[in-house]
Amino acid sequence: LFDAATMRRMLGHYERLLEEVVKHPERRVCELPLLDEAERRQVVEEWNATGADYPAKATIHGLFEAQAARTPEAVALEYEGEELSYRELDARANQVARYLVRHGVGPETMVGLCVERGVEMVVATLGILKAGGAYVPLDPEYPASRLAFMLGDTAAPVLLTQAKLRGRLPECSGRVVCLDADWAEIAREERGAPEVEVGARNLAYVIYTSGSTGTPKGTCIEHRSVVRLVKNTNYVDMGPTDRIAQASVVSFDAATFEIWGALLNGARVVGVSRDVALSSREFAEFVRVRGITVMFLTTALFNQMAREAPGAFRTLRYVLFGGEAVDAGAVRAVLRDGPPQRLLHVYGPTEVTTFSSWHPVSELDEAASTVPIGRPIANTRLYVLDARMQPVPVGVPGELYAGGDGLAREYLHQPELTAEKFVPDPFDATPGARLYRTGDLVRWLPGGDIEFLGRSDSQVKLRGYR
C-alpha cells in the first residue's frame, strides 16, 4: 500500500478526481473517472491483448479425427490396464455415433452420460459429439432427485450408462443404453464416421452447476470454446509425447481439459481411479510409474499432496492447480521439495469453459499469503469493474468480468438468469459480444496479474465444486 509506485498512482487519481469535480460539479462522485487514458488503455486493451490463431471454425471431433489420421497406432487411452489406439477409439466412437443417429440424435440433441471413469466414458463422449449431439455428464454419485431434474431439464432422448449403474438411475422418458451390456448391438454399426453437419458454434456439452443459488443450472458450452481451451494456447503446450492424467469425474469441467487437451494434441489420456486420486502417496507412485507429464488438481488435492508427498511433482512437465483459495505454504513446499518444470495456478468458472486465467509460479515470497490467478489465457478477456461496469485502477477491488471465445452460450431454459449473468460487453464493438459476471472480487496488481480477494456473495467451494 505504501510503496512509491502505489502512492504515485493515488496522487494521480486524486488530481484527476479534482479536475473532474471542477469540470462536472453536477455529477455524483461515483460517476467521476479516476483513470487517465493511458491507465484505461492498459487495463482494458493492453492486458487483454490475448488474441491468437487457433482452429476457431473446427469441431472437437473433427480435430480428433484429423489427429487419428496422423497417428492411428498411437495409444489414445489407458485406463487400469486397458488401452485403445487412436484408430480404435475413432472406430468405436463412430459405432456409438451411428447408433445414436439411428435413434434420433442429431445437432443440438442433448444425450445423458452417466458412466464411471474409463474407456467407455471417453468412447461415449466422443460418439455423442460425432453424432452431432451434446453430452450431459451425470455423476453416478448424485442423488436420484438431482439426476431426475437434469434428465427432465434436458429432455435427453437417450441416456448412456453402464449395467452396474442402472439401478441407481431414476426413471426417465428416454432410451437407456448400457454401453457394456448393449455393446453387441452397438458393435453391429459400421466403423466409419456418420455424415452429420456440425459446426464450431454447435453445442458440445451441458454441465450442471448449482452455483450459489442451490438450484441446478445447465451451462451450455459450444465446440469453439473447448477448442480455444486446448489448441494453440498460451499457458500450456501439449503434444504426442505427453501422458495426461485424467483424475476428474466427467461432470467436473476439469475433465474437459484432461480429455480434449490430450486427444486434440496427440497425447495419451491416462485414467486415475478415484481411490488412487484421493491417496497422496498412491497418486505420487501412480504419477511416477505411469510416466505422467501433465496433471490438473483441485487446490484441495494439491494442498493434500503438498503436505503428504511434496516431491511427487518433480518429474512432471506441467502441474496445474486451482478452484479454491490457495494455501501459500503448500505452494512453497512444492517449490522447495521438487517442483515440476512449470507450476501453474489456474482460475476459471464453468461459464468460461474451465480456465480463464493462469499464473506461472516459480517462486513465492515467505511473506506471501496467496498466489495471483494471473492473466487471461489466449482468446480470453478479463476486466475488473466497479458497480457501474467501469474499469477500476490497479490495486482497487472490483468484480471480475470474463469474455472471449470461451464464453458459454447460456443457462439452459433460464433466459432471465442468462441475461443477468451474461451482460453486453461495453469494450467490444462486435455485435452480440458479452461478458460473464463471475461474482468474484479481485484487483489488478501493478505488473498486470489479477489477485483473487473473495466473493461478492456467500458462495463457497468444496474440493472445487460450487
Side-chain angles (χ1 to χ4, degrees):
L1 179 60
F2 298 110
D3 65 22
T6 301
M7 298 310 297
R8 279 195 293 270
R9 281 197 305 272
M10 291 177 70
L11 287 170
H13 295 152
Y14 184 50
E15 181 178 1
R16 175 133 175 97
L17 182 62
L18 292 178
E19 290 175 350
E20 293 297 322
V21 166
V22 172
K23 291 179 183 177
H24 307 285
E26 75 286 355
R27 289 188 180 179
R28 293 175 178 269
V29 172
C30 65
E31 296 174 349
L32 300 176
L34 292 178
L35 297 174
D36 60 27
E37 285 305 312
E39 288 178 300
R40 183 183 176 89
R41 184 167 56 253
Q42 183 180 60
V43 299
V44 171
E45 299 176 16
E46 294 174 10
W47 288 347
N48 278 299
T50 62
D53 288 336
Y54 77 106
K57 296 183 179 180
T59 61
I60 298 168
H61 57 281
L63 290 171
F64 170 80
E65 289 167 355
Q67 182 63 51
R70 288 192 295 271
T71 57
E73 303 306 324
V75 175
L77 306 177
E78 177 187 323
Y79 282 87
E80 298 187 10
E82 184 177 5
E83 293 184 356
L84 283 186
S85 68
Y86 272 83
R87 185 200 305 277
E88 186 62 24
L89 173 57
D90 190 42
R92 289 197 196 181
N94 287 339
Q95 290 175 312
V96 171
R98 286 181 175 275
Y99 182 88
L100 292 175
V101 169
R102 194 156 54 81
H103 289 92
V105 174
E108 302 288 310
T109 304
M110 285 169 271
V111 178
L113 180 63
C114 187
V115 294
E116 294 181 342
R117 270 172 282 191
V119 166
E120 289 172 339
M121 177 192 75
V122 182
V123 169
T125 304
L126 184 56
I128 292 168
L129 296 178
K130 283 171 169 279
Y135 58 94
V136 182
L138 305 169
D139 192 328
E141 300 299 321
Y142 282 163
S145 59
R146 183 178 173 92
L147 294 174
F149 172 84
M150 295 176 181
L151 290 169
D153 196 39
T154 57
V158 180
L159 169 60
L160 299 181
T161 187
Q162 295 161 312
K164 60 185 173 183
L165 302 177
R166 184 69 182 87
R168 301 187 202 176
L169 301 175
E171 291 299 319
C172 64
S173 58
R175 174 186 292 270
V176 179
V177 179
C178 292
L179 291 161
D180 44 7
D182 297 327
W183 183 255
E185 181 181 355
I186 298 171
R188 287 198 288 267
E189 300 287 345
E190 294 181 18
R191 293 164 68 89
E195 294 184 6
V196 180
E197 290 294 327
V198 182
R201 301 309 302 269
N202 277 112
L203 203 59
Y205 65 79
V206 178
I207 280 188
Y208 277 80
T209 173
S210 61
S212 55
T213 65
T215 303
K217 54 182 183 290
T219 306
C220 300
I221 304 295
E222 299 172 344
H223 284 256
R224 181 183 71 165
S225 296
V226 177
V227 174
R228 144 269 183 203
L229 175 70
V230 300
K231 293 295 291 183
N232 301 350
T233 188
N234 59 351
Y235 68 102
V236 67
D237 181 19
M238 296 174 286
T241 60
D242 282 308
R243 294 169 174 245
I244 300 175
Q246 204 276 295
S248 304
V249 294
V250 72
S251 57
F252 183 33
D253 70 343
T256 303
F257 168 79
E258 294 169 337
I259 295 171
W260 305 123
L263 296 181
L264 302 193
N265 290 292
R268 179 186 302 204
V269 180
V270 182
V272 185
S273 71
R274 183 177 184 274
D275 290 342
V276 169
L278 294 179
S279 170
S280 296
R281 290 179 176 82
E282 289 187 38
F283 204 168
E285 180 66 7
F286 181 93
V287 166
R288 185 187 66 80
V289 171
R290 298 294 182 184
I292 302 299
T293 61
V294 181
M295 180 168 62
F296 168 82
L297 296 171
T298 63
T299 303
L301 285 176
F302 175 84
N303 293 343
Q304 179 179 320
M305 289 195 72
R307 289 193 303 270
E308 300 176 4
F313 305 128
R314 60 168 58 99
T315 61
L316 282 84
R317 293 182 62 233
Y318 291 97
V319 171
L320 301 86
F321 70 100
E324 296 168 89
V326 176
D327 178 355
V331 176
R332 278 191 285 267
V334 170
L335 293 175
R336 180 184 64 245
D337 296 327
Q341 290 181 29
R342 299 201 77 190
L343 179 63
L344 307 181
H345 185 214
V346 292
Y347 161 91
T350 300
E351 292 84 350
V352 197
T353 313
T354 311
F355 302 146
S356 305
S357 70
W358 66 295
H359 177 73
V361 188
S362 57
E363 59 182 5
L364 191 62
D365 189 272
E366 286 298 322
S369 59
T370 188
V371 176
I373 61 173
R375 299 170 180 252
I377 72 169
N379 299 297
T380 301
R381 300 185 305 278
L382 298 175
Y383 303 100
V384 184
L385 308 179
D386 63 18
R388 297 171 50 251
M389 287 190 69
Q390 292 299 309
V392 299
V394 169
V396 175
E399 183 176 356
L400 183 61
Y401 287 69
D405 291 357
L407 213 59
R409 179 190 294 179
E410 62 184 352
Y411 291 127
L412 186 65
H413 305 319
Q414 299 198 48
E416 292 182 0
L417 185 60
T418 298
E420 175 188 342
K421 294 294 186 180
F422 295 87
V423 297
D425 185 346
F427 312 109
D428 189 342
T430 306
R434 300 172 303 154
L435 296 175
Y436 171 67
R437 298 187 59 176
T438 68
D440 288 330
L441 297 178
V442 301
R443 65 181 176 186
W444 287 111
L445 298 178
D449 284 318
I450 293 172
E451 181 181 60
F452 177 83
L453 301 175
R455 287 288 301 174
S456 61
D457 56 23
S458 57
Q459 175 182 295
V460 297
K461 285 190 176 184
L462 300 177
R463 297 202 116 137
Y465 290 90
R466 289 187 281 178

